[in-house]
Amino acid sequence: MSFDSITTSIDDAVSDFFDPVATAVGDIVFYTVPVGGTDLPLIVAWLVVAGLVFTGWFGLIQARKLKLALEIVRGKYDEDGSPGEVNHFQALTAAVSGTVGLGNIAGVAVAVSIGGPGATFWMILCGLLGMATKFVEVTLGVKYREEHPDGTVSGGPMHYLPKGLAERFGGGGARLGKVLAVLASIMILFFGLFGGNLFQTNQSYAQISSTFGGEDGFMASSAGAVLFGLVVAVLVGLVLLGGIRSIASVTSRLVPAMAIMYVLACLTVILVNITAVPDAIVSVVDGAFDPEGVAGGVIGALIVGFQRAAFSNEAGIGSAPIAHSAVKTKHPASEGLVALLEPFIDTVVVCTMTALTIVIANPASWGEARQGESIGGVTITSDAFATVLPWFPHLLTVAVLLFAFSTILTWGYYGLKAWTYLFGRSRTSETVFKSVWSLFVVAGALLSLDSLISLADSALFLLAVFNIVGLYLLAPVVKRELNSFLEFVRARREGKTADTDPGTGETETAKAL
């Protein structure tokens, strides 16, 4: 029996066993209701409504405090001796590396194929709303993080849900928070292993094998798959051994380089077709309110755009607070403000640039996809770049590899924190997880396990249900933390000190006032 037949048998066996489970769970998590002639997934509505609520609750904070967020990233309000492991910029890039990835390249192409150019407009709007949700969950992540004796920290929904709810509602809140924390940890761990690890390796391997040599090349063979998996596993393992500091050190260089390279490529296509830009913008706006050939009309374009943005930036999911919680700061809201830049970068910038590139280049594959042909999203995006840069598909392969690598690293950190919450924080426990994580990297080059990846997607968005309930209940805490930090900023600008009283969350300046 050949190696290929063994891996195919494993794939088939896993799919046969888990397909019914994945379908049943997916039908629940992604339950849809008919709206305006199309189907609206309730989980997408749940995420969008949260963005609307928090945008109103915090007075359009994503617009009012954008400049302040940029100042924080540059280190303007850093304080010596702040607890944490990484600076604001490193925490941001580590979190962004978990969201910017294949979805920005392939998922957006699918969105503008199904929902037309107008889906881009609604995608941008959803990204802007998600900025407020991200601010809330990350502020809580830093507020209730756990600081360990060795200087490392742990944060995320598994920490702020039990601690925050116990603080606000006593024993009943503590019990509810504990249940939600365990469920959140399981969901993060499950998605991390299959969606954040195995799927990323599988898709990046598929891209590199098809680009370099095709079906007859060495990379398409079993030996090539094993070699690819082992190389990636070793690189991931080496970085993971260094913890969040090592991950942040890599992502703080990798993410900006990836983003700049990708955006420059998009701008090249746009500038070469500069005369088509006005018509493209008109098609985006008109398509948002009067789309032609889109199922469900305006509502159809809106749903597709919202769905792509919600699935891309993960605002409200609860994953990003894990990375952001490692930041060096005494003021939780400072990192919350930094985090609101994340959906802006991921959705408003990267996803929008991809969409505009496709609309402006108008490759033949996009037209075929809009007519119902089954064409992969990466293919459409690659074809759009190839209209101006014939060699770009090879560079896109490099981008896919880097995006996938950074996502594996960040979700490895997320998964580790979920694992240690469930099974204890010891050297043995961490070593077991890192070994399992590296094995999944190798398996990803050999197996597709589509049913488990579908199940992992359901787990990730089920996490949003638990997480956002907690965000609503703990929003008053976030409001206090924001006021406290704004007092600190005001005092800093006036050349005063504004030490925070840990008992009340008020600053000395605020008390004096």
Side-chain angles (χ1 to χ4, degrees), residues 296-318:
V298 173
I299 299 299
L302 181 151
I303 290 172
V304 171
F306 276 6
Q307 184 169 318
R308 178 63 260 147
F311 283 33
S312 178
N313 61 50
E314 297 178 11
I317 299 296

Side-chain angles (χ1 to χ4, degrees), residues 458-481:
S458 298
L460 182 66
F461 287 94
L462 188 58
L463 172 59
V465 177
F466 310 141
N467 186 54
I468 290 177
V469 167
L471 300 188
Y472 284 139
L473 295 174
L474 296 173
V477 177
V478 179
K479 179 78 79 171
R480 289 198 300 269
E481 290 297 333

Side-chain angles (χ1 to χ4, degrees), residues 123-277:
M123 184 172 61
I124 294 170
L125 179 60
C126 186
L128 293 173
L129 293 176
M131 293 169 71
T133 307
K134 192 78 77 167
F135 160 74
V136 174
E137 61 183 347
V138 169
T139 298
L140 291 172
V142 180
K143 166 73 174 175
Y144 294 108
R145 64 185 176 180
E146 183 176 339
E147 299 174 22
H148 304 299
D150 61 359
T152 61
V153 297
S154 298
M158 66 283 283
H159 293 280
Y160 61 71
L161 288 174
K163 291 181 181 179
L165 293 177
E167 183 181 280
R168 282 214 69 201
F169 303 105
R175 288 189 291 273
L176 173 63
K178 184 66 175 179
V179 172
L180 292 178
V182 171
L183 290 173
S185 297
I186 293 172
M187 300 304 163
I188 290 169
L189 183 58
F190 191 81
F191 178 83
L193 286 170
F194 292 98
N197 182 339
L198 189 145
F199 175 73
Q200 300 296 324
T201 310
N202 182 269
Q203 291 300 293
S204 57
Y205 167 69
Q207 179 70 9
I208 196 171
S209 62
S210 64
T211 303
F212 298 99
E215 295 181 0
D216 299 326
F218 170 75
M219 289 307 301
S221 66
S222 299
V226 172
L227 178 62
F228 177 83
L230 287 173
V231 170
V232 176
V234 169
L235 292 175
V236 168
L238 289 174
V239 178
L240 280 182
L241 286 174
I244 188 61
R245 293 175 185 172
S246 179
I247 294 171
S249 177
V250 172
T251 57
S252 64
R253 294 172 174 82
L254 197 58
V255 171
M258 289 189 305
I260 290 170
M261 180 195 75
Y262 190 75
V263 170
L264 284 176
C266 291
L267 288 174
T268 300
V269 176
I270 292 170
L271 290 174
V272 169
N273 297 279
I274 192 69
T275 56
V277 171

Side-chain angles (χ1 to χ4, degrees), residues 44 52 104 135 155 163 165 224 237 241 256 269 288 293 309 320 376 388 432 446 457 477 484 512:
V44 174
L52 282 167
N104 300 77
F135 160 74
K163 291 181 181 179
L165 293 177
L241 286 174
V269 176
V388 174
V432 169
L446 299 167
D457 282 338
V477 177
S484 172

Side-chain angles (χ1 to χ4, degrees), residues 77-90:
Y77 299 102
D78 287 355
E79 296 177 276
D80 294 335
S82 295
E85 300 181 73
V86 296
N87 62 38
H88 290 289
F89 177 73
Q90 291 174 321

Side-chain angles (χ1 to χ4, degrees), residues 379-413:
T379 300
I380 296 171
T381 305
S382 180
D383 289 348
F385 285 118
T387 60
V388 174
L389 307 168
W391 46 266
F392 191 80
H394 290 82
L395 188 59
L396 185 63
T397 299
V398 176
V400 167
L401 288 171
L402 294 179
F403 281 141
F405 182 67
S406 65
T407 300
I408 294 169
L409 287 179
T410 298
W411 273 97
Y413 180 70

